[in-house]
Amino acid sequence: MAKIATNNSRVAICLTGGSSPTELYRLLATDPFRSRIPWDRVHWFIGDERFVRADDPLNNMGMARRIFLDRCAPAANIHPIPTDTVDPEQAARRYESELKSFYGANDFDPARPLFDLVLMGVGPDGHTASLFPDYPAIEEIERWVVGVPQAHVEPFVPRVTLTLPALASCREMLFEVAGAQKRAILTRVLDGENLPASRARSTGETIWLVDQAALPENFRGR
Ligand code: 6PG
């Protein structure tokens, strides 16, 4: 919050879906947070989307809109992944064009990251965004956004996801992980096992926000 306030130019935040960030989204709509965010110059993106209608309860950006964006952010600053396209691949192409036009270039300049902040979660199989273990999307290095025809975990709907290089182009990447059911997978991720959530890193800073219940044994008391 303080970093946003001291940054006088446009700010780009990439949100995540899933259940972990909902409390944070609720907080952003309440004072004192709401009054400290310069809503007119903050732009909101989403790291992955379920390929369902924008008003479907499963839609990630729809969830963020209902909880805080629609009440707080100017409509022009909300950048959802389109899901009214013929397929996830076309949605991915359209979102990639939107990101490139927002960024103003077709290639990443490490000195000028795409996002100021990228929020991430960790799924039960070690996925992050909609980058699932052993899926081709995880190896993508050219494209910024790709379609994922089939999900590896619930909900089993096709997905659209930013790729590792696009997610990495940020000043800060913040993983939020909570609950005892996440402890086993988080242990594997933090041990450096080859999983998408272990491979997703910011070119700037990567920060882990983990509650006590999810914290692996060997990190307790540190
Ligand atoms: C999605 C998400 C996904 C999520 C993780 C963690 O569309 O499901 O973007 O990557 O962040 O699965 O989800 P939870 O917070 O619900 O555990």
Side-chain angles (χ1 to χ4, degrees):
M1 201 72 63
K3 285 186 188 159
I4 294 178
T6 53
N7 173 350
N8 287 323
S9 55
R10 196 174 67 163
V11 174
I13 298 183
C14 184
L15 300 172
T16 179
S19 52
S20 308
T22 54
E23 199 43 47
L24 172 67
Y25 296 170
R26 262 185 215 107
L27 273 178
L28 292 179
T30 60
D31 276 329
F33 297 97
R34 186 172 180 170
S35 54
R36 287 172 61 198
I37 298 175
W39 295 97
D40 54 327
R41 57 187 175 82
V42 181
H43 289 257
W44 306 89
F45 296 86
I46 190 91
D48 73 309
E49 192 52 90
R50 289 101 178 252
F51 195 68
V52 292
R53 284 167 48 128
D55 59 0
D56 188 296
L58 289 177
N59 189 281
N60 283 337
M61 191 57 120
M63 177 264 289
R65 295 186 84 123
R66 279 189 300 280
I67 301 180
F68 78 109
L69 288 178
D70 281 347
R71 255 175 307 142
C72 304
N77 291 12
I78 306 173
H79 305 266
I81 291 177
T83 53
D84 56 354
T85 54
V86 289
D87 57 21
E89 187 47 38
Q90 192 186 51
R93 300 260 174 207
R94 269 182 36 196
Y95 206 53
E96 181 164 319
S97 300
E98 180 168 355
L99 287 174
K100 285 181 172 170
S101 112
F102 180 85
Y103 185 60
N106 287 335
D107 297 300
F108 293 118
D109 171 359
R112 188 175 69 84
L114 169 60
F115 299 115
D116 292 275
L117 174 66
V118 172
L119 298 179
M120 300 281 256
V122 177
D125 55 351
H127 80 259
T128 191
S130 281
L131 295 167
F132 299 106
D134 303 323
Y135 275 39
I138 188 76
E139 304 302 339
E140 180 59 54
I141 50 168
E142 296 297 329
R143 303 269 307 276
W144 294 19
V145 190
V146 293
V148 180
Q150 214 182 346
H152 190 239
V153 295
E154 283 188 345
F156 292 103
V157 292
R159 313 289 185 102
V160 181
T161 187
L162 269 64
T163 58
L164 287 180
L167 292 163
S169 181
C170 62
R171 293 183 203 286
E172 269 178 32
M173 180 178 281
L174 175 66
F175 280 90
E176 209 189 333
V177 190
Q181 76 285 4
K182 290 285 172 75
R183 196 193 302 167
I185 191 64
L186 190 59
T187 304
R188 293 170 57 195
V189 167
L190 296 180
D191 276 353
E193 200 177 309
N194 185 9
L195 291 165
S198 324
R199 293 175 58 181
R201 289 293 175 270
S202 168
T203 52
E205 253 189 290
T206 302
I207 298 164
W208 290 85
L209 198 59
V210 179
D211 77 350
Q212 275 298 323
L215 202 62
E217 282 303 333
N218 52 338
F219 282 81
R220 285 168 185 258
R222 279 204 201 173

